[in-house]
Amino acid sequence: MTEHVEIVKVGTNRQMNDFVNVAKSIYCGKEQYVPDLDSDIRNLFNPKKNPGMKFSVIQPFVAYRHETPVGRIVGIVNKKANEHWKRKNVRFSMIEFIDDIEVSRALIETVSQWGQAQGMDTLQGPLGITDFDKEGMLVEDFHLTGSINTIYNPDYYPRHMEALGLEKEVDWVQIRINVPKEIPARYQRVAQYCREQMGLRVIKLTDDMICHKSYGKKVFDLLNEAYEPLFGFSKLSDEQVNQFLKKYMPVVDKRLIPVIVDEKDDVVGVAITMGSLSQAMRKAGGSFWPLGWYHLLKALKWKHEDNAEMLLIAVRPDLQGFGVNALFFEDLIPIYNKYGFRWAETGPQLEDNVRELSQWKPLNPEIVKRRRCFCKKLKD
């Protein structure tokens, strides 16, 4: 006899606590899992902290069995993305569940029904509100440690999705490279060409440039322009941009963020990278207090971890394919060596984005951590 699974809309502090903590029970003792900060999770559902809620409908759910939380899921209807892509998609996000098909079935069915009530006809995910949220369920390399900007999940998760009739929509992969001691000759030649023939150069932003000279907004305007053709794109609003700048720019190491400008000082490229915080986040356990802040600050300022995270790389569309990315590598490789980074890993990149994936060839890349967006047509 199948034990009953109850799905509850999160509406109380206790239910939100269960939503946050159920992941901790699922991943207890799992060394590869990197937790989110509890405060970041809670802020996702706070209209005062999440400007994406102005154009999205978002609803968290918790699964219970005998009053014990055994799973969670978030339903999202991103009106801006649906309008852009001319779709009626309901996204699911932040899905976690014990290895029980009745639990995963109840979660998926709940969001499907919730989405249909919103007028949606297709389920897809895991996806967040924007491209800068975590997306894609891990389907390979479960033995590798996760990162702060990507999803980690057990190997049974994708098996459950397939059993429930969800199919592949797109895959992302990540690129892992060993940091070379010297800049490859090919990058040096192409970078020199970009400087001398195209008038491009690398700059590093200061707080004054970001706050008073609008360079922070210029960077995000570029990201919006460069990412617009990519799957699931949802343009960042000015409020979202301001939130990102306020939250992250005071703490990131700007030496690890090369910005490319042209002869008119227009921003035409940016690489957002940082030292890994995976082990620091594990030690913090999802909270700044009592010592989480110390572990994070230590990793950011004093004792770097072994690797760098290359979170985002963007080049203005009309300059893509001209080797502009060589300027990023020429700038970052010496800095990575100075910081003691032995290897680096990109964020998820679409498997069919050949132009982006080919830029790594001189560095003998390894493809790791395939992730998948699943989809399913909802029944009438």
Side-chain angles (χ1 to χ4, degrees):
M1 180 178 177
T2 302
E3 294 184 277
H4 178 65
V5 178
E6 181 185 12
I7 306 295
V8 175
K9 279 187 178 182
V10 173
T12 67
N13 288 335
R14 179 180 178 182
Q15 290 163 353
M16 178 53 68
N17 291 339
D18 289 341
F19 181 91
V20 171
N21 292 326
V22 68
K24 297 178 183 179
S25 63
I26 291 172
Y27 293 102
C28 182
K30 196 71 172 176
E31 295 181 357
Q32 295 84 354
Y33 175 67
V34 178
D36 295 305
L37 287 173
D38 295 353
S39 57
D40 285 346
I41 297 175
R42 297 175 191 276
N43 289 342
L44 285 173
F45 310 104
N46 184 344
K48 296 180 180 178
K49 300 292 183 68
N50 184 0
M53 294 182 70
K54 289 195 172 181
F55 56 84
S56 299
V57 183
I58 181 170
Q59 177 62 56
F61 300 89
V62 177
Y64 291 92
R65 177 172 282 156
H66 302 308
E67 299 185 357
T68 299
V70 291
R72 75 181 189 194
I73 196 169
V74 177
I76 299 172
V77 175
N78 183 328
K79 299 176 183 178
K80 187 185 294 185
N82 280 342
E83 181 178 347
H84 177 81
W85 295 103
K86 296 179 172 55
R87 302 284 296 273
K88 294 182 179 180
N89 292 333
V90 53
R91 301 177 172 190
F92 69 89
S93 182
M94 302 184 74
I95 185 170
E96 306 286 0
F97 49 88
I98 62 173
D99 191 4
D100 186 320
I101 193 67
E102 296 306 321
V103 176
S104 56
R105 186 193 310 279
L107 290 168
I108 289 295
E109 288 182 351
T110 295
V111 167
S112 297
Q113 293 166 6
W114 177 83
Q116 285 179 300
Q118 306 288 324
M120 302 299 106
D121 61 19
T122 303
L123 175 71
Q124 64 174 181
L127 291 172
I129 291 180
T130 76
D131 299 309
F132 302 100
D133 295 326
K134 294 183 179 184
E135 56 189 8
M137 183 175 288
L138 192 66
V139 296
E140 294 178 358
D141 292 331
F142 303 98
H143 64 289
L144 298 177
T145 300
S147 63
I148 64 169
N149 67 310
T150 58
I151 293 171
Y152 179 83
N153 54 262
D155 59 2
Y156 63 84
Y157 276 33
R159 294 201 301 269
H160 280 234
M161 297 300 102
E162 292 168 0
L164 294 171
L166 281 77
E167 300 177 342
K168 171 184 173 180
E169 186 166 14
V170 298
D171 275 8
W172 297 269
V173 295
Q174 290 178 250
I175 300 296
R176 180 177 290 199
I177 60 167
N178 292 321
V179 177
K181 295 299 182 184
E182 304 292 338
I183 303 168
R186 177 181 171 183
Y187 289 148
Q188 291 179 320
R189 291 193 303 270
V190 177
Q192 183 177 1
Y193 172 84
C194 291
R195 284 192 299 271
E196 296 178 356
Q197 302 300 319
M198 301 175 68
L200 304 179
R201 69 186 193 279
V202 171
I203 64 172
K204 298 298 172 70
L205 301 182
T206 64
D207 290 336
D208 180 66
M209 293 170 69
I210 293 169
C211 297
H212 301 121
K213 297 182 180 179
S214 300
Y215 272 91
K217 186 177 186 307
K218 291 178 182 178
V219 164
F220 278 94
D221 286 344
L222 170 68
L223 291 172
N224 272 334
E225 183 179 6
Y227 280 58
E228 184 175 6
L230 300 182
F231 172 83
F233 169 80
S234 177
K235 184 178 180 180
L236 292 174
S237 66
D238 288 344
E239 284 184 89
Q240 288 175 296
V241 169
N242 290 335
Q243 182 195 50
F244 278 118
L245 292 174
K246 182 179 179 180
K247 182 176 180 179
Y248 295 112
M249 283 302 170
V251 298
V252 297
D253 188 337
K254 299 173 187 62
R255 290 169 292 185
L256 298 177
I257 306 178
V259 175
I260 300 174
V261 297
D262 62 14
E263 293 172 323
K264 298 179 181 179
D265 283 338
D266 290 332
V267 174
V268 300
V270 62
I272 299 179
T273 85
M274 63 184 297
S276 174
L277 295 178
S278 295
Q279 299 307 320
M281 288 291 283
R282 282 182 47 76
K283 293 176 182 177
S287 176
F288 278 120
W289 312 107
L291 292 176
W293 65 270
Y294 169 76
H295 296 300
L296 293 171
L297 187 62
K298 181 180 178 181
L300 283 167
K301 302 292 186 181
W302 307 321
K303 185 175 175 54
H304 301 293
E305 296 181 20
D306 288 342
N307 65 295
E309 303 283 354
M310 307 185 77
L311 306 179
L312 299 169
I313 294 180
V315 174
R316 202 172 68 190
D318 62 307
L319 294 179
Q320 293 175 6
F322 289 92
V324 175
N325 289 341
L327 289 167
F328 296 136
F329 299 122
E330 183 188 54
D331 178 80
L332 287 171
I333 288 172
I335 298 175
Y336 282 2
N337 277 296
K338 181 179 178 181
Y339 279 37
F341 297 141
R342 296 188 294 108
W343 56 280
E345 193 171 86
T346 70
Q349 302 180 354
L350 288 166
E351 65 173 348
D352 60 357
N353 193 341
V354 178
R355 177 179 290 176
E356 184 169 357
L357 294 174
S358 64
Q359 69 182 309
W360 306 100
K361 286 184 178 179
L363 297 172
N364 301 312
E366 177 187 6
I367 294 178
V368 296
K369 298 179 181 177
R370 181 175 294 272
R371 287 183 170 79
R372 182 159 298 163
C373 176
F374 290 91
C375 68
K376 183 178 183 179
K377 199 72 176 174
L378 302 179
K379 296 180 181 179
D380 295 332

Short mmCIF file of all heavy atoms in Angstrom, two decimals, residues 315-361:
data_model
loop_
_atom_site.label_atom_id
_atom_site.label_comp_id
_atom_site.label_asym_id
_atom_site.label_seq_id
_atom_site.Cartn_x
_atom_site.Cartn_y
_atom_site.Cartn_z
N VAL A 315 30.24 38.48 -25.16
CA VAL A 315 30.83 39.39 -26.14
C VAL A 315 29.69 39.95 -26.98
O VAL A 315 28.74 39.21 -27.33
CB VAL A 315 31.85 38.67 -27.05
CG1 VAL A 315 32.34 39.58 -28.17
CG2 VAL A 315 33.03 38.18 -26.22
N ARG A 316 29.76 41.21 -27.31
CA ARG A 316 28.72 41.84 -28.12
C ARG A 316 28.51 41.04 -29.41
O ARG A 316 29.49 40.65 -30.06
CB ARG A 316 29.10 43.29 -28.44
CG ARG A 316 27.91 44.17 -28.81
CD ARG A 316 28.33 45.62 -28.91
NE ARG A 316 29.24 45.83 -30.05
CZ ARG A 316 29.91 46.95 -30.26
NH1 ARG A 316 29.82 47.95 -29.37
NH2 ARG A 316 30.70 47.07 -31.31
N PRO A 317 27.27 40.77 -29.80
CA PRO A 317 27.01 39.86 -30.92
C PRO A 317 27.77 40.17 -32.20
O PRO A 317 28.24 39.26 -32.88
CB PRO A 317 25.49 39.99 -31.12
CG PRO A 317 24.97 40.30 -29.75
CD PRO A 317 26.02 41.19 -29.12
N ASP A 318 27.95 41.44 -32.56
CA ASP A 318 28.61 41.77 -33.82
C ASP A 318 30.11 41.51 -33.77
O ASP A 318 30.78 41.51 -34.82
CB ASP A 318 28.36 43.22 -34.21
CG ASP A 318 28.91 44.20 -33.18
OD1 ASP A 318 28.60 44.06 -31.98
OD2 ASP A 318 29.68 45.11 -33.58
N LEU A 319 30.66 41.24 -32.57
CA LEU A 319 32.09 40.95 -32.44
C LEU A 319 32.35 39.48 -32.15
O LEU A 319 33.52 39.07 -32.02
CB LEU A 319 32.70 41.82 -31.34
CG LEU A 319 32.72 43.32 -31.60
CD1 LEU A 319 33.32 44.07 -30.41
CD2 LEU A 319 33.50 43.65 -32.87
N GLN A 320 31.32 38.68 -32.01
CA GLN A 320 31.51 37.26 -31.75
C GLN A 320 32.10 36.57 -32.98
O GLN A 320 31.76 36.90 -34.10
CB GLN A 320 30.17 36.62 -31.37
CG GLN A 320 29.61 37.11 -30.05
CD GLN A 320 28.22 36.58 -29.73
OE1 GLN A 320 27.69 35.73 -30.45
NE2 GLN A 320 27.61 37.08 -28.67
N GLY A 321 33.01 35.64 -32.73
CA GLY A 321 33.67 34.93 -33.82
C GLY A 321 34.95 35.57 -34.30
O GLY A 321 35.58 35.06 -35.24
N PHE A 322 35.37 36.69 -33.67
CA PHE A 322 36.59 37.38 -34.06
C PHE A 322 37.75 37.16 -33.09
O PHE A 322 38.76 37.84 -33.17
CB PHE A 322 36.33 38.89 -34.21
CG PHE A 322 35.49 39.25 -35.41
CD1 PHE A 322 34.10 39.35 -35.30
CD2 PHE A 322 36.07 39.46 -36.65
CE1 PHE A 322 33.32 39.66 -36.39
CE2 PHE A 322 35.30 39.79 -37.76
CZ PHE A 322 33.92 39.88 -37.63
N GLY A 323 37.57 36.24 -32.15
CA GLY A 323 38.66 35.94 -31.23
C GLY A 323 38.80 36.90 -30.07
O GLY A 323 39.82 36.91 -29.38
N VAL A 324 37.74 37.70 -29.82
CA VAL A 324 37.79 38.68 -28.74
C VAL A 324 38.05 38.02 -27.40
O VAL A 324 38.70 38.58 -26.51
CB VAL A 324 36.49 39.51 -28.72
CG1 VAL A 324 36.46 40.45 -27.51
CG2 VAL A 324 36.35 40.30 -30.01
N ASN A 325 37.58 36.79 -27.23
CA ASN A 325 37.75 36.08 -25.96
C ASN A 325 39.22 35.87 -25.59
O ASN A 325 39.54 35.66 -24.42
CB ASN A 325 37.06 34.72 -26.02
CG ASN A 325 35.54 34.84 -26.01
OD1 ASN A 325 35.01 35.87 -25.61
ND2 ASN A 325 34.85 33.82 -26.45
N ALA A 326 40.11 35.94 -26.58
CA ALA A 326 41.54 35.79 -26.29
C ALA A 326 42.03 36.84 -25.31
O ALA A 326 42.95 36.60 -24.51
CB ALA A 326 42.35 35.85 -27.58
N LEU A 327 41.40 38.00 -25.33
CA LEU A 327 41.78 39.06 -24.39
C LEU A 327 41.47 38.66 -22.96
O LEU A 327 42.21 39.00 -22.03
CB LEU A 327 41.06 40.37 -24.74
CG LEU A 327 41.52 41.08 -26.02
CD1 LEU A 327 40.53 42.16 -26.42
CD2 LEU A 327 42.91 41.68 -25.82
N PHE A 328 40.36 37.93 -22.76
CA PHE A 328 40.03 37.44 -21.42
C PHE A 328 41.11 36.48 -20.92
O PHE A 328 41.61 36.61 -19.80
CB PHE A 328 38.69 36.71 -21.42
CG PHE A 328 37.50 37.56 -21.75
CD1 PHE A 328 36.52 37.10 -22.63
CD2 PHE A 328 37.33 38.81 -21.18
CE1 PHE A 328 35.41 37.86 -22.93
CE2 PHE A 328 36.23 39.59 -21.47
CZ PHE A 328 35.27 39.11 -22.35
N PHE A 329 41.48 35.51 -21.76
CA PHE A 329 42.45 34.50 -21.35
C PHE A 329 43.83 35.13 -21.09
O PHE A 329 44.51 34.76 -20.13
CB PHE A 329 42.56 33.41 -22.40
CG PHE A 329 41.26 32.68 -22.64
CD1 PHE A 329 40.68 32.63 -23.90
CD2 PHE A 329 40.60 32.04 -21.60
CE1 PHE A 329 39.48 31.97 -24.12
CE2 PHE A 329 39.40 31.38 -21.80
CZ PHE A 329 38.84 31.35 -23.07
N GLU A 330 44.22 36.05 -21.94
CA GLU A 330 45.51 36.70 -21.77
C GLU A 330 45.56 37.45 -20.44
O GLU A 330 46.59 37.50 -19.76
CB GLU A 330 45.76 37.68 -22.92
CG GLU A 330 47.12 38.37 -22.86
CD GLU A 330 47.25 39.45 -23.90
OE1 GLU A 330 46.38 40.35 -23.95
OE2 GLU A 330 48.22 39.42 -24.68
N ASP A 331 44.43 38.01 -20.05
CA ASP A 331 44.38 38.76 -18.79
C ASP A 331 44.30 37.83 -17.58
O ASP A 331 44.99 38.05 -16.57
CB ASP A 331 43.16 39.68 -18.81
CG ASP A 331 43.00 40.46 -17.52
OD1 ASP A 331 43.71 41.47 -17.34
OD2 ASP A 331 42.18 40.05 -16.67
N LEU A 332 43.46 36.79 -17.67
CA LEU A 332 43.15 35.99 -16.48
C LEU A 332 44.20 34.94 -16.15
O LEU A 332 44.42 34.65 -14.96
CB LEU A 332 41.79 35.30 -16.67
CG LEU A 332 40.56 36.20 -16.57
CD1 LEU A 332 39.31 35.44 -16.99
CD2 LEU A 332 40.40 36.76 -15.16
N ILE A 333 44.85 34.35 -17.13
CA ILE A 333 45.78 33.26 -16.84
C ILE A 333 46.89 33.68 -15.88
O ILE A 333 47.16 32.97 -14.89
CB ILE A 333 46.35 32.66 -18.15
CG1 ILE A 333 45.24 31.86 -18.86
CG2 ILE A 333 47.56 31.77 -17.88
CD1 ILE A 333 45.61 31.38 -20.25
N PRO A 334 47.56 34.83 -16.08
CA PRO A 334 48.58 35.23 -15.09
C PRO A 334 47.99 35.49 -13.70
O PRO A 334 48.62 35.17 -12.68
CB PRO A 334 49.16 36.53 -15.68
CG PRO A 334 48.86 36.45 -17.14
CD PRO A 334 47.54 35.75 -17.23
N ILE A 335 46.78 36.04 -13.65
CA ILE A 335 46.15 36.33 -12.36
C ILE A 335 45.78 35.02 -11.66
O ILE A 335 46.00 34.86 -10.45
CB ILE A 335 44.90 37.21 -12.54
CG1 ILE A 335 45.30 38.56 -13.15
CG2 ILE A 335 44.19 37.42 -11.20
CD1 ILE A 335 44.12 39.46 -13.48
N TYR A 336 45.24 34.07 -12.40
CA TYR A 336 44.91 32.77 -11.82
C TYR A 336 46.15 32.10 -11.23
O TYR A 336 46.10 31.51 -10.14
CB TYR A 336 44.28 31.86 -12.87
CG TYR A 336 42.83 32.13 -13.17
CD1 TYR A 336 42.13 33.18 -12.56
CD2 TYR A 336 42.12 31.34 -14.08
CE1 TYR A 336 40.81 33.42 -12.84
CE2 TYR A 336 40.78 31.58 -14.37
CZ TYR A 336 40.13 32.62 -13.74
OH TYR A 336 38.81 32.86 -14.02
N ASN A 337 47.26 32.19 -11.94
CA ASN A 337 48.50 31.61 -11.42
C ASN A 337 48.95 32.33 -10.16
O ASN A 337 49.41 31.69 -9.19
CB ASN A 337 49.60 31.67 -12.49
CG ASN A 337 49.51 30.52 -13.48
OD1 ASN A 337 49.68 29.36 -13.11
ND2 ASN A 337 49.26 30.82 -14.74
N LYS A 338 48.83 33.62 -10.14
CA LYS A 338 49.22 34.41 -8.96
C LYS A 338 48.37 34.02 -7.75
O LYS A 338 48.86 33.96 -6.62
CB LYS A 338 49.07 35.90 -9.26
CG LYS A 338 49.47 36.81 -8.10
CD LYS A 338 49.31 38.27 -8.48
CE LYS A 338 49.67 39.18 -7.32
NZ LYS A 338 49.50 40.63 -7.67
N TYR A 339 47.08 33.74 -8.00
CA TYR A 339 46.17 33.38 -6.91
C TYR A 339 46.30 31.91 -6.50
O TYR A 339 45.70 31.49 -5.52
CB TYR A 339 44.72 33.65 -7.33
CG TYR A 339 44.27 35.09 -7.20
CD1 TYR A 339 45.14 36.15 -7.48
CD2 TYR A 339 42.99 35.40 -6.80
CE1 TYR A 339 44.72 37.46 -7.38
CE2 TYR A 339 42.56 36.71 -6.69
CZ TYR A 339 43.43 37.74 -6.98
OH TYR A 339 43.02 39.04 -6.87
N GLY A 340 47.05 31.15 -7.28
CA GLY A 340 47.23 29.74 -6.94
C GLY A 340 46.11 28.83 -7.43
O GLY A 340 45.99 27.69 -6.96
N PHE A 341 45.30 29.31 -8.39
CA PHE A 341 44.25 28.46 -8.95
C PHE A 341 44.89 27.43 -9.88
O PHE A 341 45.56 27.79 -10.85
CB PHE A 341 43.23 29.28 -9.74
CG PHE A 341 42.47 30.29 -8.92
CD1 PHE A 341 42.17 31.54 -9.43
CD2 PHE A 341 42.04 29.98 -7.63
CE1 PHE A 341 41.46 32.47 -8.68
CE2 PHE A 341 41.34 30.90 -6.86
CZ PHE A 341 41.05 32.16 -7.40
N ARG A 342 44.65 26.16 -9.61
CA ARG A 342 45.22 25.10 -10.44
C ARG A 342 44.31 24.72 -11.60
O ARG A 342 44.78 24.24 -12.62
CB ARG A 342 45.52 23.87 -9.58
CG ARG A 342 46.58 24.11 -8.51
CD ARG A 342 46.99 22.83 -7.82
NE ARG A 342 45.88 22.27 -7.03
CZ ARG A 342 45.20 21.20 -7.36
NH1 ARG A 342 45.47 20.54 -8.47
NH2 ARG A 342 44.22 20.76 -6.57
N TRP A 343 43.02 24.92 -11.42
CA TRP A 343 42.09 24.61 -12.50
C TRP A 343 40.88 25.54 -12.42
O TRP A 343 40.70 26.24 -11.42
CB TRP A 343 41.65 23.14 -12.45
CG TRP A 343 41.04 22.68 -11.14
CD1 TRP A 343 41.72 22.34 -10.01
CD2 TRP A 343 39.65 22.53 -10.84
NE1 TRP A 343 40.83 21.99 -9.02
CE2 TRP A 343 39.56 22.07 -9.51
CE3 TRP A 343 38.49 22.70 -11.58
CZ2 TRP A 343 38.34 21.82 -8.89
CZ3 TRP A 343 37.26 22.45 -10.96
CH2 TRP A 343 37.21 22.00 -9.64
N ALA A 344 40.13 25.56 -13.49
CA ALA A 344 38.96 26.44 -13.57
C ALA A 344 37.83 25.71 -14.26
O ALA A 344 38.06 24.79 -15.06
CB ALA A 344 39.30 27.73 -14.32
N GLU A 345 36.62 26.13 -13.94
CA GLU A 345 35.43 25.48 -14.50
C GLU A 345 34.45 26.55 -14.93
O GLU A 345 34.23 27.53 -14.20
CB GLU A 345 34.81 24.57 -13.44
CG GLU A 345 33.77 23.59 -13.96
CD GLU A 345 33.38 22.60 -12.88
OE1 GLU A 345 32.48 22.93 -12.08
OE2 GLU A 345 33.98 21.51 -12.82
N THR A 346 33.88 26.39 -16.11
CA THR A 346 32.90 27.35 -16.59
C THR A 346 31.54 27.09 -15.95
O THR A 346 31.31 26.06 -15.32
CB THR A 346 32.72 27.26 -18.11
OG1 THR A 346 32.06 26.04 -18.44
CG2 THR A 346 34.06 27.32 -18.83
N GLY A 347 30.65 28.03 -16.15
CA GLY A 347 29.25 27.78 -15.85
C GLY A 347 28.66 26.92 -16.95
O GLY A 347 29.31 26.61 -17.95
N PRO A 348 27.41 26.50 -16.80
CA PRO A 348 26.76 25.68 -17.83
C PRO A 348 26.69 26.42 -19.17
O PRO A 348 26.32 27.59 -19.23
CB PRO A 348 25.37 25.43 -17.26
CG PRO A 348 25.53 25.56 -15.78
CD PRO A 348 26.55 26.65 -15.61
N GLN A 349 27.03 25.69 -20.25
CA GLN A 349 26.96 26.22 -21.60
C GLN A 349 26.15 25.26 -22.46
O GLN A 349 26.31 24.05 -22.37
CB GLN A 349 28.38 26.37 -22.19
CG GLN A 349 29.27 27.27 -21.34
CD GLN A 349 30.67 27.42 -21.92
OE1 GLN A 349 31.03 26.78 -22.89
NE2 GLN A 349 31.46 28.28 -21.30
N LEU A 350 25.28 25.80 -23.29
CA LEU A 350 24.44 24.96 -24.13
C LEU A 350 25.30 24.06 -25.01
O LEU A 350 26.26 24.51 -25.64
CB LEU A 350 23.53 25.83 -25.00
CG LEU A 350 22.39 26.52 -24.25
CD1 LEU A 350 21.77 27.61 -25.11
CD2 LEU A 350 21.32 25.51 -23.82
N GLU A 351 24.96 22.79 -25.09
CA GLU A 351 25.78 21.81 -25.81
C GLU A 351 25.88 22.11 -27.30
O GLU A 351 26.84 21.68 -27.95
CB GLU A 351 25.24 20.40 -25.60
CG GLU A 351 23.86 20.16 -26.20
CD GLU A 351 23.42 18.72 -26.13
OE1 GLU A 351 24.25 17.86 -25.83
OE2 GLU A 351 22.22 18.45 -26.38
N ASP A 352 24.90 22.83 -27.87
CA ASP A 352 24.94 23.13 -29.29
C ASP A 352 25.50 24.52 -29.59
O ASP A 352 25.47 24.98 -30.74
CB ASP A 352 23.54 22.99 -29.91
CG ASP A 352 22.51 23.91 -29.27
OD1 ASP A 352 22.86 24.63 -28.30
OD2 ASP A 352 21.35 23.90 -29.72
N ASN A 353 26.03 25.19 -28.57
CA ASN A 353 26.65 26.51 -28.78
C ASN A 353 28.11 26.29 -29.19
O ASN A 353 29.04 26.48 -28.41
CB ASN A 353 26.56 27.35 -27.51
CG ASN A 353 26.90 28.81 -27.75
OD1 ASN A 353 27.52 29.16 -28.74
ND2 ASN A 353 26.50 29.67 -26.82
N VAL A 354 28.29 25.86 -30.43
CA VAL A 354 29.61 25.44 -30.91
C VAL A 354 30.62 26.57 -30.83
O VAL A 354 31.78 26.36 -30.47
CB VAL A 354 29.50 24.91 -32.36
CG1 VAL A 354 30.88 24.53 -32.89
CG2 VAL A 354 28.55 23.72 -32.41
N ARG A 355 30.19 27.77 -31.16
CA ARG A 355 31.12 28.91 -31.16
C ARG A 355 31.70 29.13 -29.76
O ARG A 355 32.90 29.36 -29.62
CB ARG A 355 30.40 30.17 -31.64
CG ARG A 355 31.26 31.43 -31.60
CD ARG A 355 30.50 32.64 -32.12
NE ARG A 355 30.27 32.53 -33.56
CZ ARG A 355 29.55 33.42 -34.24
NH1 ARG A 355 28.97 34.44 -33.62
NH2 ARG A 355 29.40 33.29 -35.55
N GLU A 356 30.87 29.05 -28.75
CA GLU A 356 31.35 29.28 -27.39
C GLU A 356 32.23 28.12 -26.91
O GLU A 356 33.28 28.33 -26.29
CB GLU A 356 30.18 29.47 -26.42
CG GLU A 356 30.62 29.82 -25.00
CD GLU A 356 29.48 30.27 -24.13
OE1 GLU A 356 28.34 30.38 -24.63
OE2 GLU A 356 29.73 30.53 -22.94
N LEU A 357 31.82 26.90 -27.21
CA LEU A 357 32.58 25.75 -26.74
C LEU A 357 33.94 25.64 -27.42
O LEU A 357 34.91 25.19 -26.83
CB LEU A 357 31.77 24.46 -26.98
CG LEU A 357 30.48 24.32 -26.15
CD1 LEU A 357 29.72 23.08 -26.59
CD2 LEU A 357 30.79 24.26 -24.67
N SER A 358 34.04 26.09 -28.68
CA SER A 358 35.29 25.95 -29.43
C SER A 358 36.40 26.86 -28.92
O SER A 358 37.57 26.61 -29.19
CB SER A 358 35.04 26.22 -30.92
OG SER A 358 34.62 27.56 -31.14
N GLN A 359 36.04 27.91 -28.19
CA GLN A 359 37.06 28.86 -27.73
C GLN A 359 38.03 28.23 -26.72
O GLN A 359 39.11 28.77 -26.50
CB GLN A 359 36.38 30.06 -27.09
CG GLN A 359 35.68 29.74 -25.76
CD GLN A 359 34.96 30.92 -25.17
OE1 GLN A 359 35.55 32.00 -25.02
NE2 GLN A 359 33.69 30.75 -24.84
N TRP A 360 37.66 27.09 -26.15
CA TRP A 360 38.48 26.48 -25.11
C TRP A 360 39.54 25.51 -25.67
O TRP A 360 40.36 25.00 -24.90
CB TRP A 360 37.59 25.72 -24.12
CG TRP A 360 36.51 26.58 -23.55
CD1 TRP A 360 35.20 26.62 -23.93
CD2 TRP A 360 36.65 27.56 -22.52
NE1 TRP A 360 34.51 27.55 -23.19
CE2 TRP A 360 35.38 28.14 -22.32
CE3 TRP A 360 37.73 27.99 -21.74
CZ2 TRP A 360 35.16 29.13 -21.38
CZ3 TRP A 360 37.50 28.97 -20.80
CH2 TRP A 360 36.23 29.53 -20.63
N LYS A 361 39.53 25.25 -26.97
CA LYS A 361 40.39 24.22 -27.54
C LYS A 361 41.86 24.35 -27.18
O LYS A 361 42.53 23.35 -26.87
CB LYS A 361 40.21 24.17 -29.05
CG LYS A 361 38.89 23.54 -29.49
CD LYS A 361 38.79 23.43 -31.01
CE LYS A 361 37.49 22.76 -31.42
NZ LYS A 361 37.35 22.67 -32.90
#
